Every structure is written in C-alpha cells, then in structure tokens.
Amino acid sequence: MKLGIIGMGSIGKRHVRSLAEIGERDIVALRTRKGTARDLPPDLAYVHECRDEDAFYASKPEGVIVATPTSLHLDAMQGALRRGIPVFVEKPLVESVERLNEIPPGMRHLVMTGFCLRYHPVIMAVRAMIESGLLGTLYTAYLYCGQYLPLWHPYADYRSEYYSRKELGGGVLRTLSHELDLACFLCGKVSELTAAAGRISGLEIDVEDHAALICRAAGGAVVTIGLDFLNPRSVRRGMLIGEHGSIEYSFDPPAAVFRGHAGGEEQHIGDSSAGAGMRMADAMYRNQMHDFRAVVRHEKRPGADFADGARVMAMIGAAEASVQSRSWVAVQEEWK
C-alpha cells in the first residue's frame, strides 16, 4: 500500500516510523520547504520526497496523513479529499470552528482525526471499565495535562514552533486538545461549558499558556479539564468518580486502577518498569496507524472521525467565547 504524508516534523516522522513497524514502507512525502524543513534522518531514507502537490498525487497514494501546523491542515486535507482519498488529519482538525463548513459534507466520511489517546492501552482499559458497567453512573471527572513548553521539543526553539504562535494555530486549547476529546470519549458529549484561559507566565509566546474548563456532559456528569504549558514535569492523568467507585489513570508510569466503595482495588494496567511509558506510547501510535490502514482499505470506520474532530473544535470555540463573556456557553454542533 502506498501512503502519502504532508508534514515531516516530529509527529510526521513518528507516524512514518509507526507505519514501518506495521510493515508499510511505501511512503511518499510532500515537502514544499515552506516551513522549517530539515533533511530526513538516515532511518527514513526510504521515504520518497516530492516538492509539489502534482508530483505528490501523481504517485497515487491510497491514503494521506496531514501532519502540518494546525493553520495549514485545511488546505492540505482538501487536496486529498478532492481526489476522493481517505485522509488522516492531526488534531485539531482545523484552526477555528468557523472553517469546519469548508469541508464538504459529502467528503467528511473520508476524514479521520488524529486523537491518538483513544488508542493508548491506558485509555483503552479505562474505556473498557466504563463500558463494562464497573463504574456505574458517572458523576464527575477530572482530566489534566501539563508540560513545560521550552522542554517539550528540546531540539527546537519553542518560540518559533507552531504551538507558541497564534497564526499557526497554537495555544494549550488546540495543542493539548486530546483532553477535550477524552471528555467526550470517556464521559459523553459535552453540551455546555465555562472556561478561563490566558497567558500568565513569562513564556515568549502570543497564545494562552493555561486553560481550565468545567463541562456538562451527557447524563449530567461534570467534567473538569486542566491544561497548561507550565508544569516542569510532563504529566497526563485523570480521575472518574461514579456510582460504584472511582477510576484513576496516569501515563507515566502507565496505570489504570478501579477502587470500589467497599475497599480494595482492581488494577487493570500497572507497569512501573523503566521505559514503560514510552513502550505504551509506541503501541498507541502503532494502533492508530493500524486503524488508519484499515480505513484506507475500507475495512472499518475511523476510530475518531470528522464529527469527533469537529466536536472538539466546537468545544474550543465555546471555551474561547466563555473566556470573553465569563459565562456558560452551549457547545453548538453547527457543522451538521
């Protein structure tokens, strides 16, 4: 199978390596050199590079991965969609909720959104516990992700990277939007929310460095989401509290644990050995590329589709409106 990729930054390279791990090495990359393109490392020498879109699509990719900065997602995906090619788009889907309607309704079934955490063994275990009824009715949840921006990609100047720049679609709400997707994936669709966000640190960025959201999910559960570029440790964790107990999860070390009201605990995932977090992250990306390959082969629907990506964009739009109005804002699914 020939697969194409647009954008060969850190996440683009990771997707290509994950594809190789599942046996897919017929890869063509569109590299226009408009960004901060670097030569590919020796282990990716098998990737064929094209400098223009016509040559890229003349190679006949059966599926296309879009891993450009957020502000370039829409233009990149439309080239594939016009040709009827399934496309995997890194999150967030587009830079603003207003641009969702530029994706024609008749082509949206071809879009897979890159919410990789759905494929992480920890989140898969949490989801399985919820679906089994172990937790019972969900009452409330707390989801958090934080990391110190200058240390995220130590090989790059954080001030010039997309996540630090408004015109490229940066900021915690977009860059760390996985937690917004997890709120829907684990707790049900969010109907309304209130938020606070802004830049409070001395980081040299022109986007928000923190955000706090309180969301009302399906069934009435309240979900609190915290995001920041400030934590000296890279942390991703959550807690869900329900009728029969609680589920706590973390990514490093990877763990997902249920605790019931009667005492005791049932540990579904727990690995404190060296490198466990990285091994599970590698498995997550492989699982995601397995899924995209199956989508390209028309064997299944995407694990995260256009509607999932659009819903998170609607949450981001509602959060930004709430910051301005200092009020609760409904999450409108206006793209339908």
Side-chain angles (χ1 to χ4, degrees), residues 31-73:
R31 308 195 75 201
T32 62
R33 302 277 174 175
K34 291 180 180 178
T36 55
R38 302 174 179 87
D39 291 338
L40 294 180
D43 70 305
L44 298 182
Y46 60 88
V47 175
H48 177 69
E49 298 184 57
C50 295
R51 293 288 180 259
D52 64 78
E53 187 175 280
D54 289 341
F56 177 73
Y57 285 108
S59 70
K60 301 189 182 304
E62 298 170 64
V64 170
I65 296 169
V66 174
T68 60
T70 303
S71 62
L72 304 178
H73 283 184

Side-chain angles (χ1 to χ4, degrees), residues 178-248:
H178 287 298
E179 268 56 37
L180 278 65
D181 177 60
L182 287 184
C184 299
F185 187 59
L186 299 177
C187 307
K189 289 198 297 185
V190 170
S191 59
E192 61 176 345
L193 59 81
T194 186
R199 184 169 70 88
I200 57 175
S201 73
L203 291 173
E204 296 179 57
I205 59 179
D206 65 355
V207 291
E208 76 278 359
D209 58 18
H210 74 287
L213 291 72
I214 302 175
C215 311
R216 184 78 64 184
V222 174
V223 183
T224 302
I225 302 172
L227 309 170
D228 67 65
F229 285 157
L230 311 173
N231 198 324
R233 290 182 57 235
S234 180
V235 177
R236 176 164 267 137
R237 61 178 179 238
M239 176 187 293
L240 297 89
I241 301 170
E243 178 183 8
H244 303 313
S246 68
I247 298 170
E248 294 183 53

Side-chain angles (χ1 to χ4, degrees), residues 20 96 140 142 145 156 162 165 171 214 242 244 250 314-315:
S96 67
T140 190
Y142 304 88
C145 180
Y162 79 92
R165 299 166 59 186
I214 302 175
H244 303 313
S250 65
M315 290 176 67

Side-chain angles (χ1 to χ4, degrees), residues 254-336:
V257 180
F258 170 77
R259 292 181 175 86
H261 293 306
E265 66 180 46
E266 184 176 344
Q267 186 160 318
H268 285 249
I269 281 186
D271 188 347
S272 58
S273 63
M278 185 59 70
R279 288 194 298 274
M280 287 200 181
D282 290 342
M284 170 185 73
Y285 286 112
R286 284 195 302 271
N287 292 341
Q288 189 178 44
M289 288 297 101
H290 265 296
D291 200 48
F292 181 54
R293 181 172 63 181
V295 169
V296 173
R297 290 173 172 170
H298 306 290
E299 295 172 351
K300 67 182 295 294
R301 288 182 53 79
D305 59 14
F306 170 85
D308 295 313
R311 188 167 295 113
V312 167
M313 288 309 309
M315 290 176 67
I316 292 171
E320 291 174 335
S322 176
V323 169
Q324 295 299 316
S325 66
R326 299 189 178 186
S327 64
W328 283 84
V329 175
V331 178
Q332 303 284 353
E333 298 190 358
E334 297 175 349
W335 65 89
K336 291 186 175 180

